[in-house]
Every structure is written in structure tokens, then in C-alpha cells.
Amino acid sequence: MSAFYEGLRNLFIGLAEAGTLPEAFQYAFVINSLLCALVIGPLLGCVGTMVVAKRMAFFSQAVGNAALTGVAIGVLIGESYTSPYISMFSFCIAFGILLNYTKGRTKMSSDTLIGVFLSISLALGASLILFVSARVNTHILESVLFGSILTVNDLDMNILLVVTVITLALGIPLYNRMMVSSLNQSLAHVRGIKVDALEYIFVILLTIITVACVKIIGAILVEALLLIPAAAARNISRNLKSFVWMTVLISTLSCIGGILIPMQWDLPLPSGGAIVLVAAIFFILTTSLKGILPVFREARM
Amino acid sequence: MQGPAIHVEQLSLTLGAVAILAPMSFTIESGNIHCLIGPNGGGKTSTLRCLLGQMPHQGRIRIDWYENRHCGYVPQLIEIEKTLPLTVRDFLTLLMQQKPAFLGTSNDTQQHIDVILEKTRFTDKQNLMLGSLSGGERQRLLFAQALYPDPALLILDEPMTSLDEAGMHNFEELILDFKAAGGTIIWVNHDLEQVSRLADQVTVIDRGLLAHGPTSSVIDEKMRQGIYRQAGAE
């Protein structure tokens, strides 16, 4: 894959040098981050619609926080502090499965339970990462929390690509069944849908997506990019098809805008923060549109 | 079509240390409308969930299927997030096809949806969002989805809650048509007048079996008073 990325980078750099593309495209890291944005945008957009339907936004935040612990463990066991994927994936998947297992076996409300896990994962992750950052790099906490496009490399892009392929391979054939089980579990059971198995599959997908996006968007902002584009699209969608595609569009534009805008105007913003701020602008726009144009109001037809 | 006969043998249910249902045995005849009645909290919905295979239980449930093994289920009113942009047609597409609904509806699925919307007189509501449907309309939609794929057994969990008079009439018509075609219906119902009018057999459940048999022999004035008294006392 490295040769493929290199070819793409050379193509973009050539176009930038010829003046066809803006000057920023002369830098390999800009092209890397844009390639990631073009994958992350549609991926998070599509999954975000399911996250909204399943009301699992805080779940992905809890997993994002767990990634902090994953990074810290990775550094402690000797993984590279810029890409501690083995420990991040292992810890976050175990965390996600444990959270889902507990959710199915307690009478506590889902909100409360996720809140408890979220707080524990944040406290544990922040403590551990501050402890290890003294040993390696003091900026590690900031880059894990808010993303750092400068450090995206071929390995990160490969991981993102593999996660995307797994998500598409499982998510597309199971999309309808996942959506039905989130609407009514009894109905789903009767229709032969394995509700519990699907729940675990979705939790694992959401976890690996979150981990793969940590470097670009940041651990605490992945959840925002899963939620805000879907919430923005929901304001102006009249059916499922427009909801999903509008979410994908807003999510992709937010990723591209969040990467290009700070470069264009030399703004000292972390990539994750800028991406989420662009998404927030879309949310404000669609909310205003909904208020202004009667066609978007939820009146009965 | 011939609906299945169902034999419930020594069915009992315990959750933790709490006995939900004492052992009970009864038979649901093929092609019958069989109502489950009894006070709230008496275990009717738990019995249904055992029949649907959703609850671990003691005892045995034997279903004698004929050529068609499909079961349609109408749950109690579903609550969904009101702002989720999901139309009636989207909802049916999600249930009726494998291809993700956001990639479009296949021609085959479109035709099946048209038929069941027509049957349940819901065609004019097909583009409404689920969140904007009234309780009765949502109930009719839940009934509509149960008609695909063509079921031999219909399991209804208080489906008439929130229906207006026209909705109830349409509902009763559909149930009687289904029975006339040979289907079996299991129906949790609180309306004793309706049960007396439509059911062939009745099972009265209150943490176990209170009575079982043909409607006319089970539901008498004494039974009406008994059930209402118990329900009212809760």
C-alpha cells in the first residue's frame, strides 16, 4: 500500500507545484490527512446515523476515553507512543465488550451505566497518560485528546483502510437488521434477528472505528463527529435515505474543511477541534433552516 | 393456509426467586382466535414471550406447524425517538429487505409494501415520519408489518390500545379475514366484550392458569366481575 500512497502523494505534489492545486498540497502530511478525511467522513457519517438511532453517542465517547488508557498501556509495554495500536485495540475492544455485557445484565439505566464507565475510563486514561507522558513526550495527552494530523503516516492509513473494509463488509449486510433491533427488540427477535449478537458486532465496530480515528480527530472528539453530522442532517431530512446521505456529506465536508481551513488561514487549531467546529457550523445552519423553512418542520402531512 | 396448533405443557416461569407463572398446560387449536386475558401483571405478556422463544422457561411448548412456518407479531406500542427521519415506507423496507434501506427499495419489496399498506388502509400515510404518527396509526403500522411474509400464526400483544373506532373496525376485519384463511391467532386482549364476540377460545392467566376453554364457557358474568375486581385492586 505504501507505493500506492506514495504515487498519490507524488501526483498531488506535482499538481500543487504546477499550480493546479493550492500550495498546501506540496506537503505529504496534508495529503495524508486529506486521504484520511475522505475515508473517515463517509465512514463516521454512515455509522453516525446508527449511533443516533441506537442512542449510543456517549458509548463512543467512553470508548474514546478508553483509548487514552490504551495509549498509556502501549507506551508502558514498549509500543511506539505515536502508534500504540495493539494496546489501543485490545484495551478498547475489551472495554466495549465489558460495557455492553454489563448493560445487558443490570437494571441500571443505559445513561447511568455509560456515564459511570465514561468517567472511569477518563480518570484512568488521564492518570495513566500523564504518568507515562513524563517519560516520553509531554504533548502526547494533547494529541491523543484532540488529534494530530502532522503525525499521520502510512501505518495509520492502512489501519483506517482495514477498519473501513471490515465495517463495510459487516455493516452493509446487517444495516437493516441493526436498525430494526434498535427500534424494537421483541419485533426483531420474532423476525429471526439475533439482537444480542448484533449489539456486540456494532459495539466492536464502533470501538475499532473510534480507535482508528483517534489520531486524526482525537479521542474525545470522535463522538462529536459521530453525532453532530447526524444531528445536523436530521434537521433537514424527510426520510432515511436523505438522512444517511446528508450525514455522509456533512461529515465528509467537515473533515475536509477542518483540515484545509486552519492551513489556509494559518490557524493554530488541532485537526479534531477544527473538524468538529466545521460540523457544528453545519448543525447551526440546518437548525436555522429548519426554523425558517416550513418544509423542514415536522408537521403532519 | 393452515395455522399451527400449539401445545403448552407444564409451562412455568421464575425470574430470580420470584415465581412469575405457576405450571400451566393448555392447547391452542389450529385456525382459532385464542385470547389470553387476565389482570395486569398476571403474566400474559410473559406467556407470549415464552411462546415467542424470548424467555427461558420451564416446561414445554410444542408448535405443530403445517406448510407455512411464518409467525407475525404485533408488539405493544413502540416508542421511538420522535425526530428520527424514518417514514412508514422506510420502516417497512427495513423489515422486508436485506439491502440497506438507504440504498433504495427493490421493486419486489415495493410491491409487497404496496399490498400490505393497501390491506391495512395505510397507503395515504406511507410518507409520514414514524414520529408524527398517532398511537393508533403506529399500532396499525405494527399490524401491517406482521402481514409480511404471509404468516400462518399471528401473535398480538394488546394491539388495539390507542386505536380509534375506525381503526378497531379495520383491525377486526383483518383478524377475521386471517382466521377465515385458516390462520391461528393468539391475542392478549383486555376488552372482554370484544373477546366474547371474536374469540373461539380463552385462557385466563393470573400468575398461572385460572381458566381455559371455549369463550362462552369461560367468560360469564362472574368471570367479568372477577377479572375486573383483580385488575382494579392492583
Side-chain angles (χ1 to χ4, degrees), chain A residues 187 191, chain B residues 73-75 91-92 95 141-148:
Chain A
L187 191 59
R191 289 194 163 260
Chain B
Y73 170 58
V74 183
F91 178 71
L92 294 172
L95 288 163
L141 174 62
L142 288 175
F143 192 87
Q145 64 76 32
L147 299 178
Y148 181 85

Side-chain angles (χ1 to χ4, degrees), chain A residues 58-72 91-92 95-96 98-99 113-129 141 145 219-220:
Chain A
F58 289 109
F59 176 89
S60 54
Q61 188 173 359
V63 171
N65 291 344
L68 291 175
T69 313
V71 170
F91 183 78
C92 290
F95 178 87
L98 179 68
L99 173 45
L113 188 71
I114 292 176
V116 169
F117 270 73
L118 195 151
S119 313
I120 293 171
S121 62
L122 183 60
L124 184 64
S127 309
L128 274 179
I129 214 146
L141 177 60
L145 285 178
I220 60 168

Side-chain angles (χ1 to χ4, degrees), chain B residues 35 41 46 64 74 86-87 97 114 116 124-125 132 154 172 190 198 228-229:
Chain B
C35 282
S46 296
D64 294 338
V74 183
L86 207 61
T87 64
Q97 76 173 21
D114 288 341
I116 62 171
D124 58 329
K125 307 259 194 286
S132 69
L154 268 182
E172 285 187 6
H190 278 299
L198 300 176
Y228 284 132
R229 201 167 42 241

Side-chain angles (χ1 to χ4, degrees), chain A residues 114-174:
Chain A
I114 292 176
V116 169
F117 270 73
L118 195 151
S119 313
I120 293 171
S121 62
L122 183 60
L124 184 64
S127 309
L128 274 179
I129 214 146
L130 280 171
F131 171 69
V132 297
S133 64
R135 294 170 50 173
V136 284
N137 183 329
T138 49
H139 296 295
I140 190 171
L141 177 60
E142 189 183 309
S143 63
V144 174
L145 285 178
F146 303 111
S148 171
I149 54 164
L150 294 171
T151 56
V152 171
N153 55 32
D154 288 1
L155 172 67
D156 301 325
M157 293 200 285
N158 283 337
I159 296 231
L160 185 58
L161 219 54
V162 170
V163 166
T164 304
V165 170
I166 294 172
T167 308
L168 290 177
L170 288 172
I172 287 189
L174 297 177

Side-chain angles (χ1 to χ4, degrees), chain B residues 109-127:
Chain B
T109 309
Q110 301 257 25
Q111 284 171 10
H112 290 306
I113 291 176
D114 288 341
V115 169
I116 62 171
L117 286 174
E118 184 67 38
K119 253 189 200 173
T120 48
R121 297 179 195 164
F122 220 62
T123 309
D124 58 329
K125 307 259 194 286
Q126 59 180 305
N127 293 319

